[in-house]
Amino acid sequence: MVAEARPRWGDAEVVAAVDVADGIRRITLRRGAREPRRAPAGSHLDVEVDLGGGRRDVRSYSIVSSDETATEVSLSVLAVADSRGGSRHMHALATGDRLRCTQPLQNFELRPGHARQVLLAGGVGITALLAMGEILARRGADHAFVYAGRTRGAMAYLDDVVERHGDAARIHVDDEGTPLDVPTLVAEIAAHPAGHDTELYMCGPIRLMDAVRRAWADAGLPTHHLRFETFGSSGWFTPEEFEVVVPRLGLTRTVRADSTVLETLAEAGVEMMYDCRKGECGLCQVDVVDVDGHVDHRDVFFSADEHRTTRRMCTCVSRAARGDDRASAGAAVLTLDLP
Amino acid sequence: MSVLDQHRTTTAKIFPHPLDAWYVAAWDHEVTARKPLARTVAGRPLALFRTPDGRAAALADACWHRLAPLSMGELTPEGGIQCPYHGLRYDASGRCTSMPAQQTVNPSAAVPSYPVVERYRYVWVWVGDAEKADPDLVPDMSQMDSPEWAGDGLLIEAPCNYQLVLDNLMDLTHEEFVHGSSIGQAELSESEFDTTHDGDTVTVSRWMRDIDPPPFWAKNMRDKFPDFTGRVDRWQIIHYRAPSTICIDVGVAKAGTGAPEGDRSQGVNGYVMNTITPETDRSCHYFWAFMRNYRLESQLITTQLRQGVEGVFAEDEAMLTAQQRAIDAHPDYEFYSLNIDAGGMWVRRILEAMLRAEGRLDEPADRPTDLTRAG
Ligand SMILES: Cc1cc2nc3c(=O)[nH]c(=O)nc-3n(C[C@H](O)[C@H](O)[C@H](O)COP(=O)(O)OP(=O)(O)OC[C@H]3O[C@@H](n4cnc5c(N)ncnc54)[C@H](O)[C@@H]3O)c2cc1C
Ligand code: FES
Ligand code: FES
Ligand SMILES: [Fe+2]
């Protein structure tokens, strides 16, 4: 985003690794490099992970705390079942292990200048919001901290949130019968005197964020007041393998579950245009001719209406999926036309 | 290495500037809700404007998209700014709120926005770590808008490193040579002075007793005491507050009426308010005003004093411009110090500590030789 977005890679050493909730482990790294200041709230590190069999890849983890020079930073990682192995690698780290990581990268910046801020964390999304909450509490800003999870035991930093934010904290726990009701939350925000000058910062599962987005639009609140961090690999469907067909080029390819349309077509020698590779700029869009299955739109470039009509899609993040009837109907087939 | 070697930068010719500080970006009246103002503060080009409800805002002067200067754009009715090139709109916090060629707004699109405080008739901005931007750190310049003081000032765009202006104001013996026709006199160099420092302040005091007032002060005395002739006690008490604000308590009183002991009733008192904002390594915005605590009702005196001091400061500007040119023409030459530099050297020491705290002490100016003295 703004300022330095180019990752600089360097070495780091694990100085602590402890469990902080069911399935969530806090990993503290000491980086070789120093920064002029502490890691800003909302920032993350890109970390190189070993997926086994010599395969390396990059995963992002929000920084939950940092020292003054962002030399010692803590992450908190959820163990993801059925994963390619990034979180498994992180959970296996022990004190003294070394790894490669970037400087703090900022994509989710807390900006002063609005009358009120509401933070909304769903599950492990707490990691992206913890430091923001700290700043707002320290400033005595008018804010609320909403934290929703499935069980109390799986909610990392729950006590910290309650203690730090007092009356401003609102905790929702599914298995205690106090789940978050999104329309109610958004209606309350809109009814507040500062409603139309309130920013909502959220990080959590895509379904939660999608519900908030819809309720936000229905309440007539300005869409740019909705700030979110998606933890990347979130769509409506679990990624699965599917076919992509480009009749004009006489081309058919399989898009693996861990690849994208953009990558697959580029590997097939198609000259593709792209820039952000995270579904924001719209440069990688192509025409959708037909889909056998569903198009799983994962971009934020197209509007909800455009997603519904599915005339185009962003190939860097959006996919095709069969969904639940996968076993009976075979892999989804996506037919595209390229500019 | 000796303990004495730790202050390598103290006599740097091109002094770096701290970032974690409030700097004046503009006079309050320069920032409007009609049209953005472009101004570079501490190396950061800014677009300054006001929202319809009067709040001042400071955004980086480069659009997120292709970096066109936002200051060339228009202000929007919603209180934001529109890029002059492809029409992206931003709110006062720097968030993009509209992308004309699409239905959505890229959530990453934003330009940096800087904390702003309006105080003492100035718009102050903080371009460093925003989390440290505590409004209580704005230096006291309360004479600027106190009902007990009246006056006005201007802005000089000085083509020199900001530290040269601080040096100039921390040692007023130059008045004899630079301002001979108005405020200069030989007694300035001849009289003793005291230098004290404490935390982020430095004070230099000089009293000249029983002297003939120079023309500027003789006129001011007659504004308050129309029949006055004769000798005066004259004072200059220079108050520096880091990083670059200098308020000088100046005045004269009828000689022997007790001014040095605290009774200034038989004199006239002014405050020369200076705050210097680094622009680049070799230029700065020099905001000054002359405030007085007598004849508050007279706009005539306000205008005369502003014009008079403008003439005096034009002499400083000419010297500073020429000095910077000579510095740049002699890259291998060093600065050497005199006893009169004590105030300015304490200022440099304080700035050095601020730069060290920001981890920027060794930041090279554009020529590395500028930072260290030979040997
Ligand atoms: C800015 C940012 C901050 C983040 N912060 C945190 C954090 O603080 N804590 C934390 O635990 N995680 C965080 N994440 C998520 C993290 O980067 C990893 O995605 C997560 O650890 C899972 O990685 P994995 O390799 O174990 O699982 P993956 O294999 O990536 O699987 C994770 C999920 O994605 C699905 N998936 C599998 N393949 C693909 C594919 N090709 N495309 C899309 N989805 C796929 C899986 O089915 C599974 O549901 C963050 C992500 C981002 C972008
Ligand atoms: S490359 Fe930017 S949306 Fe796909
Ligand atoms: S450069 Fe500003 S909109 Fe293109
Ligand atoms: Fe001068």
Side-chain angles (χ1 to χ4, degrees):
Chain A
M1 194 182 67
V2 294
E4 57 161 352
R6 305 264 171 265
R8 280 182 282 115
W9 287 89
D11 290 317
E13 184 184 333
V14 177
V15 292
V18 290
D19 289 334
V20 286
D22 299 346
I24 300 182
R25 203 160 164 76
R26 177 186 174 102
I27 293 146
T28 304
L29 303 176
R30 186 174 303 125
R31 302 169 54 240
R34 294 163 59 88
E35 308 301 322
R37 53 200 50 164
R38 94 186 69 84
S43 63
H44 63 272
L45 289 187
D46 277 2
V47 178
E48 191 180 83
V49 293
D50 181 352
L51 300 179
R55 284 183 310 127
R56 303 198 151 265
D57 206 346
V58 174
R59 295 289 183 272
S60 305
Y61 294 100
S62 300
I63 296 172
V64 293
S65 68
S66 155
D67 64 2
E68 279 293 323
T69 54
T71 309
E72 203 162 295
V73 295
S74 296
L75 317 171
S76 302
V77 180
L78 174 71
V80 181
D82 303 328
S83 88
R84 291 166 290 182
S87 54
R88 193 171 348 108
H89 172 83
M90 297 300 288
H91 270 247
L93 291 171
T95 306
D97 286 353
R98 303 194 66 85
L99 74 174
R100 299 201 34 90
C101 69
T102 62
Q103 86 276 27
L105 303 171
Q106 179 59 296
N107 241 331
F108 190 43
E109 185 195 13
L110 177 70
R111 287 190 167 233
H114 293 275
R116 185 162 186 258
Q117 276 91 13
V118 177
L119 309 183
L120 169 58
V124 74
I126 184 69
T127 54
L129 295 163
L130 209 56
M132 282 189 198
E134 177 59 31
I135 291 175
L136 294 175
R138 190 167 354 114
R139 281 199 197 133
D142 183 2
H143 77 290
F145 199 127
V146 186
Y147 185 9
R150 276 196 301 273
T151 69
R152 206 163 267 271
M155 292 171 73
Y157 307 108
L158 182 59
D159 293 344
D160 298 337
V161 170
V162 171
E163 188 182 321
R164 192 69 177 104
H165 298 279
D167 289 346
R170 280 188 44 185
I171 310 302
H172 296 277
V173 188
D174 294 357
D175 79 348
E176 293 179 1
T178 56
L180 171 67
D181 183 60
V182 170
T184 307
L185 173 69
V186 173
E188 280 174 18
I189 292 172
H192 190 279
H196 282 256
D197 197 12
T198 297
E199 279 198 319
L200 176 70
Y201 291 79
M202 61 175 175
C203 183
I206 187 87
R207 276 154 214 267
L208 170 66
M209 301 214 280
D210 218 74
V212 173
R213 232 169 287 165
R214 258 176 291 124
W216 197 262
D218 291 348
L221 294 167
T223 44
H224 58 271
H225 286 177
L226 205 51
R227 316 305 311 176
F228 46 88
E229 176 96 299
T230 60
F231 276 177
S233 55
S234 42
W236 279 94
F237 301 93
T238 309
E240 54 184 69
E241 200 166 280
F242 61 97
E243 299 290 304
V244 60
V245 184
V246 186
R248 202 148 63 83
L249 302 177
L251 189 105
T252 300
R253 284 288 186 284
T254 300
V255 180
R256 292 188 321 269
D258 65 352
S259 182
T260 62
V261 175
L262 178 65
E263 192 177 40
T264 306
L265 293 178
E267 276 168 6
V270 182
E271 180 98 40
M272 298 292 289
M273 179 51 67
Y274 56 88
D275 182 20
C276 71
R277 290 159 71 191
K278 49 186 182 175
E280 290 182 353
C281 71
L283 273 179
C284 64
Q285 62 179 288
V286 299
D287 290 340
V288 177
V289 178
D290 188 37
V291 63
D292 178 10
H294 308 275
V295 175
D296 187 7
H297 288 288
R298 292 165 173 239
D299 64 280
V300 293
F301 170 75
F302 290 117
S303 66
D305 278 350
E306 289 168 315
H307 283 159
R308 212 168 300 126
T309 54
T310 295
R311 281 181 42 237
R312 299 201 188 88
M313 66 180 279
C314 287
T315 53
C316 63
V317 290
S318 299
R319 322 178 53 82
R322 182 64 72 184
D324 292 341
D325 38 79
R326 176 146 195 241
S328 52
V333 181
L334 180 64
T335 307
L336 304 177
D337 199 12
L338 309 183
Chain B
M1 184 179 108
S2 150
V3 63
L4 297 179
D5 289 335
Q6 61 183 311
H7 297 292
R8 295 188 307 132
T9 52
T10 315
T11 49
K13 293 182 291 177
I14 300 295
F15 216 91
H17 45 259
L19 295 176
D20 288 337
W22 293 106
Y23 287 115
V24 170
W27 283 91
D28 52 7
H29 60 80
E30 294 183 281
V31 180
T32 71
R34 293 185 307 277
K35 201 165 123 353
L37 170 72
R39 187 154 290 158
T40 296
V41 171
R44 304 284 193 277
L46 304 178
L48 298 153
F49 60 94
R50 283 182 198 280
T51 59
D53 62 3
R55 269 185 307 138
L59 302 184
D61 195 13
C63 178
W64 172 84
H65 174 223
R66 288 295 194 250
L67 307 184
L70 294 179
S71 59
M72 282 174 63
E74 309 251 304
L75 300 179
T76 66
E78 309 85 63
I81 191 167
Q82 180 165 40
C83 176
Y85 205 178
H86 312 99
L88 261 58
R89 289 178 169 216
Y90 299 89
D91 68 13
S93 78
R95 291 256 194 240
C96 183
T97 57
S98 150
M99 297 188 156
Q102 63 189 65
Q103 294 187 13
T104 55
V105 176
N106 185 329
S108 294
V111 294
S113 64
Y114 297 96
V116 173
V117 169
E118 215 164 319
R119 201 167 290 174
Y120 312 132
R121 296 164 61 184
Y122 294 124
V123 174
W124 303 76
V125 299
W126 182 288
V127 299
D129 182 351
E131 282 179 32
K132 299 188 177 138
D134 178 353
D136 290 346
L137 298 176
V138 172
D140 178 14
M141 299 186 80
S142 49
Q143 291 85 355
M144 291 295 293
D145 56 3
S146 153
E148 280 148 43
W149 296 81
D152 203 4
L154 289 168
L155 162 60
I156 297 170
E157 297 293 356
C160 65
N161 181 264
Y162 79 114
Q163 172 61 38
L164 298 186
V165 182
L166 301 182
D167 271 351
N168 171 285
L169 291 165
M170 293 306 289
D171 161 45
L172 299 177
T173 61
H174 77 267
E175 290 182 0
E176 180 185 350
F177 308 100
V178 178
H179 311 303
S181 66
S182 52
I183 52 176
Q185 56 189 164
E187 288 89 342
L188 284 157
S189 302
E190 289 159 6
S191 58
E192 300 274 310
F193 63 97
D194 275 338
T195 306
T196 60
H197 64 97
D198 179 20
D200 63 354
T201 67
V202 179
T203 306
V204 179
S205 323
R206 175 179 269 117
W207 280 91
M208 291 150 277
R209 293 171 198 241
D210 196 22
I211 59 169
D212 284 324
F216 176 84
W217 286 112
K219 190 252 177 227
N220 292 341
M221 278 298 274
R222 282 193 302 277
D223 280 340
K224 185 169 173 187
F225 308 101
D227 304 328
F228 175 75
T229 54
R231 290 168 77 85
V232 294
D233 294 333
R234 179 180 178 187
W235 69 90
Q236 294 174 325
I237 302 167
I238 307 167
H239 296 283
Y240 163 85
R241 166 86 189 269
S244 52
T245 296
I246 297 178
C247 301
I248 312 179
D249 174 5
V250 290
V252 298
K254 294 174 189 168
T257 56
E261 292 73 39
D263 177 6
R264 294 177 175 186
S265 61
Q266 297 306 300
V268 286
N269 189 188
Y271 252 88
V272 195
M273 313 298 291
N274 310 276
T275 184
I276 294 94
T277 300
E279 180 187 40
T280 68
D281 275 348
R282 286 177 168 73
S283 61
C284 58
H285 310 291
Y286 177 0
F287 294 88
W288 64 265
F290 190 92
M291 306 302 294
R292 69 178 187 283
N293 67 354
Y294 57 93
R295 298 286 313 273
L296 301 181
E297 84 299 344
S298 172
Q299 182 60 41
L300 173 65
I301 294 177
T302 295
T303 303
Q304 286 173 337
L305 281 171
R306 190 187 57 222
Q307 289 174 345
V309 177
E310 184 182 12
V312 172
F313 282 6
E315 295 168 335
D316 288 304
E317 186 185 348
M319 176 54 70
L320 292 165
T321 304
Q323 183 189 10
Q324 183 68 58
R325 220 180 286 129
I327 289 168
D328 289 337
H330 298 87
D332 303 332
Y333 289 23
E334 304 298 338
F335 276 4
Y336 294 96
S337 302
L338 299 169
N339 72 319
I340 54 171
D341 296 313
M345 290 298 276
W346 279 113
V347 166
R348 286 165 174 263
R349 195 57 79 66
I350 289 169
L351 289 168
E352 213 175 49
M354 291 179 79
L355 290 162
R356 188 176 298 117
E358 292 179 20
R360 295 174 58 246
L361 190 55
D362 288 318
E363 183 171 286
D366 19 349
R367 261 195 302 275
T369 49
D370 289 340
L371 270 181
T372 13
R373 216 175 222 211

